[in-house]
Amino acid sequence: FFTLRRMMVGRRMSVRSDDGALALTITEFDSRLDLHGLAVGQLSDVRLVASDLEWNEHRFERASAVLHNVHVRPSVPPVLVAAPVEMTLEVPAPVLDNLFRAKAPRLSGEVGADGVARLRLARRLESGHVEVEARLNGSTLWLQPRAIVRRKRRALPARTPGYPVRLPELPHGLRLTSVEFGPGVVRLTGTLSEWRMDLPRT
């Protein structure tokens, strides 16, 4: 484990899949190791943090993953298994605007340095904006208006209807569980029921 950590932390890594190429730099690789567990191939929980991610034409600053119940399954070759896996990806605000261009071309979206998400009419950016919050309902992201801002900020009633954005199906059974806005980013959290990787003896 310690050898693996030395090999990974600070290194630029690339992974190819059917969906494209992912390049990232591992910045943290930690686990609360237990000697009794290690004797039977049990690593407990492992936390990974990566920065400077590139996937196809998209760039992301930071992502993290917590792999629960990590263990080596004795087989030929041995298999490293984690179940479940919780992943968090920080999506820069410009990517959010690209999402609206693709899914809702009449709107323009941004997340300010104050962590507030704002929607504008794409053809009338100077006409003010709507402050929104996000919530998930299955595979639909609901953007709930909270205030209208022109010259003044006017709070909206709690019953104001939300705007639905249908999310694409995620690969490998990944399920989106949370969407939060932070300073200049959208923080996405998802869960994968199980992850496994062959572990060649070399």
Side-chain angles (χ1 to χ4, degrees):
F1 175 82
F2 293 109
T3 301
L4 184 61
R5 183 165 63 183
R6 283 197 301 271
M7 291 172 58
M8 293 181 68
V9 174
R11 297 283 178 95
R12 190 74 179 161
M13 303 178 70
S14 296
V15 179
R16 294 196 170 274
S17 69
D18 296 338
D19 303 315
L22 172 67
L24 52 86
T25 301
I26 300 292
T27 56
E28 292 181 37
F29 186 81
D30 293 306
S31 175
R32 292 184 177 178
L33 298 176
D34 174 74
L35 291 178
H36 297 292
L38 282 175
V40 293
Q42 184 77 36
L43 293 176
S44 189
D45 292 352
V46 175
R47 182 173 185 268
L48 291 168
V49 178
S51 64
D52 191 21
L53 294 92
E54 296 179 24
W55 179 68
N56 294 339
E57 298 177 357
H58 305 290
R59 294 182 65 89
F60 307 98
E61 293 179 9
R62 188 176 187 275
S64 62
V66 178
L67 291 77
H68 295 282
N69 190 30
V70 180
H71 58 281
V72 177
R73 184 173 295 167
S75 59
V76 181
V79 177
L80 188 65
V81 180
V85 177
E86 298 172 4
M87 295 179 281
T88 300
L89 176 66
E90 293 188 355
V91 180
V95 177
L96 177 67
D97 197 28
N98 292 338
L99 173 66
F100 278 106
R101 287 179 189 168
K103 299 292 183 181
R106 293 181 299 169
L107 298 176
S108 173
E110 67 176 38
V111 182
D114 55 1
V116 176
R118 298 170 175 89
L119 293 180
R120 293 180 168 86
L121 293 173
R123 295 184 181 179
R124 300 179 63 186
L125 296 177
E126 70 287 344
S127 64
H129 61 266
V130 178
E131 295 179 1
V132 297
E133 294 179 356
R135 64 180 173 84
L136 275 174
N137 186 359
S139 60
T140 302
L141 172 67
W142 285 89
L143 298 172
Q144 189 69 42
R146 292 302 179 206
I148 293 179
V149 180
R150 284 188 180 167
R151 290 187 178 89
K152 294 181 179 180
R153 183 183 186 277
R154 292 187 175 90
L156 293 171
R159 295 182 181 178
T160 304
Y163 185 88
V165 178
R166 184 79 176 169
L167 299 175
E169 184 176 342
L170 299 176
H172 310 296
L174 180 63
R175 183 172 53 88
L176 197 62
T177 57
S178 172
V179 177
E180 298 175 348
F181 297 121
V185 298
V186 182
R187 195 170 293 111
L188 305 175
T189 302
T191 301
L192 190 64
S193 59
E194 184 180 80
W195 172 82
R196 60 177 64 198
M197 181 183 73
D198 287 348
L199 204 61
R201 295 184 182 279
T202 55

